[in-house]
Structure formats: structure tokens, C-alpha cells
Amino acid sequence: MKLLVPVKRVIDSNVKARVKPDQTGVDLANVKMAMNPFCEIAVEEAVRLKEKGVATEVVLVSIGPQQAQETIRTGLAMGGDRGILIVSDTDPEPLAVAKLLKAVVDEEKPDLVLMGKQAIDGDNNAVGQMLSALLDWPQATFASKVEISGGKAAVIREVDGGLQTVEVQLPAVITADLRLNEPRYASLPNIMKAKKKEIAMKTVADYGVDVAPRLKVLKVAEPAKRSAGVKLETAADLVGKLKNEAGVI
Amino acid sequence: MAVLVVADNDNAHLRDSTNKTVTAALAVSSDVDVLVMGQGAKAVADAAAKIEGVRKVLLAESADLGHAVAEAQAATVVGLMGGYDAVLVPATAGGKNFAPRVAAKLDVAIISDVLAIVSADTFTRPIYAGNALETVQSSDAKKVLTVRATAFKAAGEGGSASVESASAGADAAKTKFVSEEMVKSDRPELTAAKIVVSGGRAMGSAEEFHKVIEPLADKLGAAVGASRAAVDAGYAPNDYQVGQTGKVVAPELYIAIGISGAIQHLAGMKDSKVIVAINKDADAPIFQVADYGLVADYKNAVPELMDALTAIGK
């Protein structure tokens, strides 16, 4: 069974994003970048499926600048077999990403696409659902447990107010939530080995899909700041303020 | 141009986020219809018909819709979009599950987590965990939005819209609902509660979380929340998590106990009307957003707070 795992290069999750003074976007110059945390979880799950003998090949695909090769190498060091980088100087919208991934799926014919539920830059939480819709494959989003057997995947999903279990017939698209697993740190020998693994270099034009943006970004602004209030001495003072000043209890 | 709002419901109850999404929809168009998808959900449709400003309610029912199967939900909405220029879906886990499918099927962009309607084609939404707000203008003929309900006031009651039935979209049946395990609680729902009491990693154990946070919440008639650190450590269940990767809340009063205030937590609660922080570390970032702070060990502060509340008759 072949797995396709899309991965995205994003701002490191420990770095605070800063808006550019001219309000055209977020300043990413000289900012530490890393693999999107949800993508890391998806790679980990794919590698575990390979280690269990369920999967035979884990193919990583990324859409981004040349430097996204590093992101793919990170995944290869975790245990991915090979990579595909679709070089793009712009950050395509979710619909365009889904269309590019569909083109990759048509070529690679994986049995399962395992991916993060959302990227921490655009925060759209959309590509997996869109890809599944374009492919007419079943979807299981926000997975916290995945079990594969007999051409089907049983997936426990995190839903409003609890957990839901669904069964999807493969091929399918599964998106990873936070608690699916804890991604490993790649060992030094595996990092060295990953350097020799193949990354196929492609361009957006190779796939002939429409990636024109549908949204025009008019402005990127900082949210209104909340100012610090007062520090109180006792719990009784607090209750007094909440009752008499704020009127919320 | 008419717009469609998809109701947030559990087949029996209409959730408040629907009323808030109607408010957002009314900023796009005065012709707002509500679609209720479920099974045996007539009571939900009747409740939706009472929302002020709603033109009519459509009720689509099937077993798959009753279990919120995304493929069936998306097919139902897509089937209706010939008559609408936009669809607005509350940005819950359930809404986010099917709304992007609708957008892909219509070959249009998804606009997620909308916080403000600037005009009928221009919307503001958070990116980078709420550290930046992006205003985007859509060139698509039809718009698909998920709406962050906490950013809008709930539309009131007093409407008397008609309820019509709509056809449920067919699912290719490759996704099968197996089972569901819902957390049972007498407390208000986290995203709809007027008061939220949240605990953090400082609790140290699930027992302590249970012993400290829950009685205070019950005294205030509040919902219980938790930081991601507390959830990851297993002190509180997943669906208590407040933050960018959990639930976004904006209650009248938010009480953060033993929560340091990581960016990801602040993104989920900073729009609360009044924020209270109790933390023994005076430098904790949570104090930078708190209206009222108590620099104290929660072990002493929470019992004192309980006593002070009892003293005023709570």
C-alpha cells in the first residue's frame, strides 16, 4: 500500500508572526521556518504504518519555494521514502493546492492520502476536504486514531462535544489532528540517509492546473491589543470588582 | 442576492452559533434562508424559523445527515446553491468538515473563520493563530464562508419563517458512520457559556483539575475549559481545550487558573469581555491580557474565591 503525505513549510510554531508595517502580509524574512506541526503528525502516522507492515511506500509532496526541499528532507529523515517538490514562488490558495495534489494523486495513485488538518500560517483547515471532494474519495478529518485493514480505514475523529468513529473505504483522504501521535525526532544516521533519498523537482506548470488566486488580499493587520488590567490583593477584592465594577456575576 | 445559513444542530437542538451566523449573513444580504440538516430534526427547523430576519427554513433529512456525514452534507448544500450567492456555515468542527467540500465542488475559494463582513464580497479572517487579521476580497460568483460565531451578536427571536423540506444530498456511501461517544454534561456548552472557568498545567493531575476547577465552575454556572498543556498532559478531556487548535470562546467572563497564557491559548479566549487570571507567576503572559489578576497559588486562591462568592450569595 502506497501513502502520499503532503507537507508544508511554514513559520516555526514557536516563533510569533509579525505583520509587515505596510500591512501587505506577515514578515517571513530571516524567520525560522519548519515543517507544519500537523504535517509532522501525518508523516509520523505514515511511517508507523510502514513500520507495522501496513504500508510499503511513503511519498512526501510539498508545494513551495526551493527551500521546501529541507521540509521534505525532514520527512525523509523521519522515514519517508522519496519526495516530490512542486516549486511555487507564491503561496497558492487551498483550492489550488487541492488541484495540484489531485494531479499528483492521478500520477502516483496512492491508496491513502494522509495529511495535516491545517497549516498554521493560513489556518484554513480546508485542503484535505477539498482534495477528497475533487477526487470523489471518502474523507475522515481530524483523526485521533487510524486503523487500517481489509481495504478500509477505521478512524476516530475529534468532533464537537466528543469523538466519532467512521469507516472509510480506501482510497481515502485522512487529516491528522493533534492527538493522533507524537512525532519522533529523526536520528543522526537517518538524517544522513535522508540526504541520499530522491526528491523529484517539478513546477506548477508541469501539472497544467488553474492556480489563479480567487481572493485578493486587501490588508493584513495586527489584531487590537488588549491592555493589562489591575492586579488585586485578595479573592474578596476580585469578587467585589466582578460584581460591582464589571457586573459579570 | 439570497444567502444560505447552515444551522448548527444535533438533531434535537438548534445551537446559538446559528443565530450568530444569521447576523453575519444579514450583513451580506437581507434575504437569508436557513438550512437544517439532520434526521428527525423538525424541532430544530421550527426553532430556526423563529430567528429574527430569516426568510425561510429548509429542512433536509436523512440517516447520513443525522450523523453529520460530510459527503452527504456537502452534496445537500451544493444541490441548493443554484438559488444562492453565498453560504455561511458556523466554523465548528462540524462546519469545517464539510464547508471546504462545498467550495471545491463549486470550484470557488473557501473563506474560513470569518470575523467580520466588510461588504458582500470582502471579509476579515484570522491567520497565524490570530496574530494577524487578513482582509480578503473574493472574485468568485458564489462565496463559501465559515463564520467564527463568537465574533457576531446572536440574532434575536421573533421571526415566523415558513419551513419547507429540501432534498437530502446523496452520499456515495464510501464513508460509513460507526459510532459516537459524546461527553455528557449538565454544564453549559463551552462556546455558548456566559462564564468559562479554565484550568492549566499548574493543576498537576486530572484529580486536582476535577477538584479545583469543576466546583468553581458549578458555583458560577460556568462551562469548564482547559489549556492545551492541561489537555496534552491528560488532566482534562480534548473537547475542553480552549485555543487556536481547540475551541474559540468569547464569554462575558473568562477565569484562567494556573494558565501561563501561551499565544495559542490567548488566540482562543482574548475576545472575552472580562478576563481574570489567577497565577502564582507574576510575569505570566496571561496577566498582559487580564482585566483582573490575582498573583497567588490557586491552591489558596480558589478556596478563598469560593468563600467570597458564597459571601455574596452565590
Side-chain angles (χ1 to χ4, degrees), chain A residues 22-54:
Chain A
D22 65 359
Q23 298 199 322
T24 56
V26 165
D27 193 356
L28 295 177
N30 305 314
V31 170
K32 191 176 176 224
M33 304 294 278
M35 187 190 291
N36 178 47
F38 291 103
C39 300
E40 254 185 319
I41 295 169
V43 173
E44 175 66 32
E45 195 66 16
V47 171
R48 288 187 192 184
L49 285 170
K50 193 181 167 190
E51 287 167 349
K52 275 191 234 165
V54 176

Side-chain angles (χ1 to χ4, degrees), chain B residues 87-153:
Chain B
V87 56
L88 286 78
V89 182
T92 58
K96 289 176 175 185
N97 191 36
F98 74 86
R101 284 190 77 86
V102 173
K105 290 287 188 193
L106 296 172
D107 193 32
V108 301
I110 176 80
I111 306 170
S112 308
D113 276 317
V114 169
L115 292 170
I117 311 282
V118 179
S119 71
D121 67 358
T122 305
F123 314 97
T124 300
R125 56 177 300 268
I127 53 174
Y128 290 88
N131 285 306
L133 303 178
E134 165 183 82
T135 300
V136 294
Q137 184 174 31
S138 164
S139 58
D140 286 319
K142 293 188 191 292
K143 276 92 177 151
V144 179
L145 278 60
T146 63
V147 173
R148 191 171 278 187
T150 54
F152 297 89
K153 282 205 168 70

Side-chain angles (χ1 to χ4, degrees), chain A residues 132 136 141 214 226 232 245, chain B residues 97 101 107 174 272 292:
Chain A
S132 142
D136 270 320
T141 56
R214 307 299 184 84
R226 239 191 130 99
L232 305 168
E245 192 175 86
Chain B
N97 191 36
R101 284 190 77 86
D107 193 32
K174 288 180 277 190
S272 305
Y292 303 112

Side-chain angles (χ1 to χ4, degrees), chain A residues 11 14-19 26 28 38 93-95 99 117-118 120-127 129-142 144 152 157-169 171 177-179 182 210 213-224 226-236 238-239 241-243 245-249, chain B residues 67-68 70-71 92-98 100-101 103-105 107-113 122 125-140 173-183 195 220 228 231-232 238-239 241 244-245 247 252-253 255 263 269-276 278 282 287-295 301 304-305 308-309 312 314:
Chain A
I11 190 168
N14 297 310
V15 176
K16 188 176 186 301
R18 299 202 184 276
V19 171
V26 165
L28 295 177
F38 291 103
E93 289 173 7
L95 180 64
K99 287 180 179 180
K117 73 164 180 178
Q118 104 188 46
I120 61 163
D121 48 5
D123 281 333
N124 282 290
N125 190 336
V127 175
Q129 295 89 314
M130 288 182 134
L131 176 62
S132 142
L134 295 179
L135 288 165
D136 270 320
W137 285 9
Q139 73 174 44
T141 56
F142 323 147
S144 62
K152 287 177 179 165
R157 306 181 52 237
E158 300 199 6
V159 296
D160 301 305
L163 298 170
Q164 183 193 57
T165 305
V166 295
E167 195 177 83
V168 292
Q169 209 176 312
D177 215 320
L178 273 180
R179 280 159 286 269
E182 273 190 41
D210 170 25
R214 307 299 184 84
L215 303 176
K216 187 172 157 193
V217 178
L218 301 181
K219 186 172 86 171
V220 175
E222 259 185 62
R226 239 191 130 99
S227 48
V230 291
K231 285 191 177 139
L232 305 168
E233 291 300 318
T234 69
L238 174 61
V239 169
K241 290 277 190 191
L242 291 178
K243 187 171 163 61
E245 192 175 86
V248 289
I249 57 170
Chain B
H67 291 309
E71 289 86 340
T92 58
K96 289 176 175 185
N97 191 36
F98 74 86
R101 284 190 77 86
K105 290 287 188 193
D107 193 32
V108 301
I110 176 80
I111 306 170
S112 308
D113 276 317
T122 305
R125 56 177 300 268
I127 53 174
Y128 290 88
N131 285 306
L133 303 178
E134 165 183 82
T135 300
V136 294
Q137 184 174 31
S138 164
S139 58
D140 286 319
K174 288 180 277 190
T175 297
K176 203 177 95 198
F177 169 84
V178 178
S179 64
E180 207 162 54
E181 197 185 312
M182 291 298 162
V183 177
I195 303 179
L220 290 164
R228 179 171 155 193
V231 170
D232 284 351
N238 292 346
D239 61 322
Q241 188 185 318
Q244 175 66 15
T245 50
K247 297 215 165 91
E252 301 266 298
L253 173 61
I255 304 181
I263 296 170
M269 47 64 84
K270 69 179 170 52
D271 294 325
S272 305
K273 189 168 158 231
V274 174
I275 296 174
V276 170
I278 300 174
F287 286 117
Q288 291 165 20
V289 300
D291 299 281
Y292 303 112
L294 268 185
V295 182
E304 284 167 22
L305 188 53
L309 287 167
I312 62 157
K314 284 277 169 186

Side-chain angles (χ1 to χ4, degrees), chain A residues 44-100:
Chain A
E44 175 66 32
E45 195 66 16
V47 171
R48 288 187 192 184
L49 285 170
K50 193 181 167 190
E51 287 167 349
K52 275 191 234 165
V54 176
T56 48
E57 189 184 19
V58 175
V59 181
L60 308 177
V61 57
S62 191
I63 302 163
Q66 290 285 348
Q67 296 95 312
Q69 283 181 79
E70 296 158 21
T71 312
I72 294 177
R73 293 270 174 231
T74 305
L76 295 175
M78 288 170 71
D81 294 297
R82 64 186 168 88
I84 301 165
L85 174 59
I86 305 173
V87 178
S88 170
D89 295 329
T90 59
D91 189 17
E93 289 173 7
L95 180 64
V97 173
K99 287 180 179 180
L100 285 167

